[in-house]
Amino acid sequence: MQNYRYIIAIALTLGVILGWNQLQVALGIMPAEPAQQTAMVNASANETAAAPLLSPVDEPFAAQNRTTATPGQPLVLDAAPELPKGEKLLVATPLYNAEFNTTGGILTSFTLSKFAKTLENKTPFQIIAPNAAVTAPMGLLLNESPTWKIGSWSSPSHNLKLNEQEKGEIAFVWEYSGIRLTRVLTFHADSYLIDEKVHLENLSGQALSFNLGYSMSTASISGGDEGHNITKIGYLNSQDKFKVEADMKDLGLGVQDDAVTWGSIQSNYFLAAVIPHNSSTLKARLTDGVFRITLKGEQITLPSNSPLDSSAQYYLGPKLREELKAAPANLIASMDYGWFGLISEPMIMFLAWIYGYVGNYGIAIIILTLIIKTALWPLARKSYKSMERMRQLQPMIKKIQEKYKDDKQTASQETMRLYKTYKVNPAGGCMPLFLQIPVFIALYQGLLNAVELRHAPFITHLPFTDKIWLADLSAQDTFYITPVIMGISMFIQQKMSPPMGDPTQAKVMMFMPIVFTVLFASFPSGLVLYWLVNNLFSLVQQYLTMRSKGTPGSGGKSRKNVEAPQKSKAPKAESPA
């Protein structure tokens, strides 16, 4: 039992490293998604071909451009192998530059003006790159058939440039088999949201039945770091719960949900989302490194010579808290912090507030960590006291184990009697540590998902050199200085803690600083900085507690208080000591 605190500490840290959400599923805390809610999009052997472009009530014309699925393989959502022929239409705002193709109104390029591609490459970050453009981001579908591949498209609009606080729009017109469809996209100079109005007219003379669908596609938007910042599919289901599919390969490269509020492709820092005006069926896939989602609405019937209006919104940009809060349909849920989001969000907001005063996110992380450690000082002090009492009892425990080495049950009973005699709770150091778990995990998740740390510098150059060092807190420490110091701090903590009773466990613990140093070497430097400062401040707290007056281990008086029962007649557990 005296080793419980080490087990809890290891479980806590591993939980942080490997991901709290994955740990929840592994432990059964959070059940896996029910099959009826999320399923791989695999075509069965008897699956029929996709619906035609339009399905008239009395079917006056034949099916067009069917999409089929191969049995046993992920359902292939239509993807154009090359960009359709059309003219470029440019939209420029202070936040981004977008390029549309007049055939279909599909998005062929989207770059963020305020975010660089990499620290070295200052070109604007691309959410829509050329290899994703061929899969028709922001394309429209009727009965899952691509409108950009058939019919006649035109645009009455010209290039659009917006200044601060302005808004403007562009339009695209499609005509096909008695259908006229007009897309109107509205842009805002101070927002990453794009509004869409779709106006449908049935000029065919007969009622038509169809589904209207929206698409979005991107390649990786992780900024080159796929280790702790992967590109994934995220969506909000009809129960207003955010779901994420982080590994499309494990899902057979496809996923489907029959009732979603919005769907997205996202990383820790960026988001490309589609928000239809009503509940839709989501289909998503990953092909050749490109993610694509489509959201198909409910079937609607359009009478002859009657118009129909629909709408949707798109968000393409960074995961900024205020922007997402202002977005519709609870898009802020895409900033998923796991179970401890209620703690993560205010801490990251507080971090931003500190940054407003110090102007450096590295210093802000240090200050925030010190504030948290100070607030938890009473709990930590209680834990350290318990650890010190356990350390003082180790010689007596060792003698008991040696005396009863062939009788584990008696050894355990005598050890427990020893704890009772000296009024030491072997789990005394566990509870304070356990109560700090939500804070540690919440801050970890918050820092991991804070776009504010992307390309945010702490110490730009290695002291006394011109070598780039901690110039990006979202990237790893390329010189591994902070992980090594963190490992050293863990080693010192071990030396200050009570020795392990089990030699095998003691040897395992000796390797832990090395293991964690290797693991943290690839972590974003902002997270390593937090953990390093946390360790260093814990060492100071532990030292002060052990040396304070009235605390065991601080001097003769305290030790005398612990050893006093040895002179009494009461406990039998002292005899082996």
Side-chain angles (χ1 to χ4, degrees):
M1 294 184 65
Q2 66 265 35
N3 295 323
Y4 281 3
R5 60 182 178 279
Y6 296 102
I7 298 172
I8 292 179
I10 293 171
L12 163 63
T13 312
L14 287 176
V16 169
I17 292 174
L18 299 178
W20 179 243
N21 291 333
Q22 294 179 354
L23 184 62
Q24 294 176 74
V25 175
L27 295 178
I29 300 174
M30 179 185 296
E33 200 62 21
Q36 64 269 25
Q37 294 181 353
T38 303
M40 290 172 52
V41 188
N42 288 335
S44 62
N46 59 352
E47 184 174 5
T48 60
L53 171 65
L54 293 175
S55 299
V57 173
D58 53 0
E59 298 185 355
F61 55 81
Q64 299 278 346
N65 208 353
R66 294 175 181 265
T67 301
T68 59
T70 303
Q73 297 296 322
L75 179 62
V76 177
L77 305 174
D78 183 88
E82 59 184 13
L83 288 174
K85 295 179 180 179
E87 302 296 325
K88 292 181 180 179
L89 195 55
L90 307 178
V91 177
T93 78
L95 299 178
Y96 57 82
N97 288 281
E99 178 185 292
F100 291 86
N101 190 316
T102 54
T103 299
I106 63 176
L107 185 60
T108 55
S109 176
F110 198 95
T111 58
L112 302 177
S113 304
K114 296 183 180 296
F115 295 85
K117 185 175 182 180
T118 65
L119 195 61
E120 297 77 18
N121 186 349
K122 298 299 183 182
T123 58
F125 183 82
Q126 288 185 316
I127 284 190
I128 306 298
N131 61 332
V134 297
T135 57
M138 291 182 63
L140 289 184
L141 302 101
L142 291 185
N143 280 353
E144 299 187 73
S145 294
T147 61
W148 61 90
K149 296 183 68 176
I150 54 178
S152 174
W153 280 92
S154 63
S155 175
S157 303
H158 302 283
N159 293 342
L160 178 65
K161 184 176 182 179
L162 301 179
N163 297 317
E164 297 292 341
Q165 305 301 319
E166 290 182 343
K167 71 176 182 178
E169 60 185 36
I170 59 175
F172 306 93
V173 180
W174 178 62
E175 294 185 358
Y176 178 74
S177 296
I179 299 294
R180 179 184 294 133
L181 181 151
T182 303
R183 305 185 66 184
V184 179
L185 300 175
T186 303
F187 305 87
H188 307 268
D190 57 351
S191 174
Y192 293 98
L193 272 175
I194 301 172
D195 302 317
E196 172 160 25
K197 297 292 184 182
V198 178
H199 181 72
L200 279 160
E201 298 174 84
N202 181 3
L203 308 178
S204 68
Q206 303 183 55
L208 298 174
S209 179
F210 57 87
N211 303 99
L212 179 63
Y214 303 87
S215 72
M216 178 60 69
S217 60
T218 73
S220 170
I221 52 176
S222 300
D225 176 19
E226 292 286 351
H228 308 286
N229 178 23
I230 63 174
T231 301
K232 47 192 174 287
I233 300 296
Y235 58 94
L236 195 72
N237 67 13
S238 56
Q239 287 77 44
D240 205 37
K241 293 183 179 180
F242 178 71
K243 303 293 181 182
V244 64
E245 305 296 350
D247 195 336
M248 294 293 287
K249 292 182 179 179
D250 282 353
L251 293 170
L253 307 183
V255 65
Q256 175 175 325
D257 196 296
D258 291 332
V260 303
T261 303
W262 51 259
S264 72
I265 306 163
Q266 64 181 79
S267 64
N268 288 3
Y269 306 133
F270 299 104
L271 175 71
V274 182
I275 313 169
H277 78 285
N278 56 15
S279 180
S280 303
T281 296
L282 169 78
K283 289 184 179 180
R285 68 157 186 193
L286 171 62
T287 304
D288 297 329
V290 175
F291 295 82
R292 185 181 177 205
I293 61 173
T294 61
L295 291 102
K296 180 184 71 173
E298 298 176 354
Q299 189 174 51
I300 54 179
T301 299
L302 181 61
S304 176
N305 299 316
S306 296
L308 174 70
D309 291 322
S310 185
S311 63
Q313 289 178 297
Y314 306 90
Y315 184 96
L316 295 104
K319 294 168 74 172
L320 295 171
R321 191 172 300 101
E322 295 306 317
E323 286 274 352
L324 296 178
K325 278 186 176 180
N330 194 22
L331 192 60
I332 185 64
S334 62
M335 296 189 70
D336 182 31
Y337 297 123
W339 275 24
F340 302 111
L342 292 177
I343 305 175
S344 294
E345 186 171 356
M347 283 199 295
I348 295 304
M349 293 175 65
F350 186 46
L351 178 68
W353 181 81
I354 297 173
Y355 170 78
Y357 285 93
V358 300
N360 183 300
Y361 267 107
I363 296 176
I365 289 174
I366 293 174
I367 294 175
L368 177 63
T369 308
L370 296 182
I371 290 175
I372 292 174
K373 292 295 291 182
T374 301
L376 297 176
W377 167 251
L379 291 176
R381 189 169 184 271
K382 182 178 180 181
S383 177
Y384 298 145
K385 282 184 176 181
S386 179
M387 290 170 61
E388 175 60 14
R389 291 191 179 97
M390 286 297 299
R391 186 187 69 81
Q392 294 176 4
L393 290 181
Q394 284 303 309
M396 288 181 278
I397 294 175
K398 187 175 181 180
K399 289 182 179 180
I400 291 176
Q401 292 173 341
E402 291 175 351
K403 182 176 181 178
Y404 300 103
K405 60 183 178 180
D406 297 325
D407 189 349
K408 300 296 183 182
Q409 182 177 357
T410 302
S412 177
Q413 293 174 349
E414 291 297 320
T415 300
M416 293 305 298
R417 188 178 302 174
L418 184 67
Y419 292 151
K420 184 176 181 181
T421 299
Y422 290 101
K423 299 183 172 145
V424 174
N425 182 359
C430 299
M431 186 55 65
L433 182 63
F434 180 76
L435 295 176
Q436 296 178 61
I437 290 177
V439 177
F440 291 152
I441 296 178
L443 185 56
Y444 172 87
Q445 291 285 9
L447 293 176
L448 192 64
N449 291 277
V451 69
E452 294 87 350
L453 296 186
R454 186 177 186 270
H455 296 176
F458 175 35
I459 303 175
T460 307
H461 295 88
L462 200 62
F464 311 110
T465 72
D466 59 352
K467 297 183 182 297
I468 301 296
W469 187 28
L470 301 179
D472 181 1
L473 289 172
S474 70
Q476 69 181 65
D477 181 347
T478 54
F479 293 99
Y480 306 113
I481 295 174
T482 49
V484 169
I485 298 176
M486 186 209 69
I488 294 173
S489 69
M490 289 186 64
F491 179 77
I492 296 174
Q493 277 186 311
Q494 284 188 0
K495 291 299 182 181
M496 294 177 63
S497 300
M500 301 292 292
D502 188 334
T504 302
Q505 292 181 8
K507 291 179 181 179
V508 171
M509 291 300 295
M510 288 298 294
F511 280 101
M512 293 307 292
I514 299 175
V515 172
F516 281 87
T517 298
V518 173
L519 289 174
F520 272 78
S522 63
F523 270 42
S525 55
L527 297 175
V528 181
L529 178 63
Y530 150 67
W531 206 259
L532 169 60
V533 175
N534 181 79
N535 280 358
L536 293 177
F537 199 62
S538 294
L539 285 174
V540 174
Q541 288 181 327
Q542 187 172 349
Y543 176 79
L544 292 177
T545 301
M546 292 167 60
R547 300 299 299 174
S548 63
K549 292 182 179 181
T551 302
S554 61
K557 181 178 179 180
S558 299
R559 186 167 296 278
K560 183 178 179 181
N561 290 339
V562 174
E563 295 178 349
Q566 293 182 356
K567 300 177 181 180
S568 65
K569 300 178 181 179
K572 295 181 180 180
E574 290 178 284
S575 55

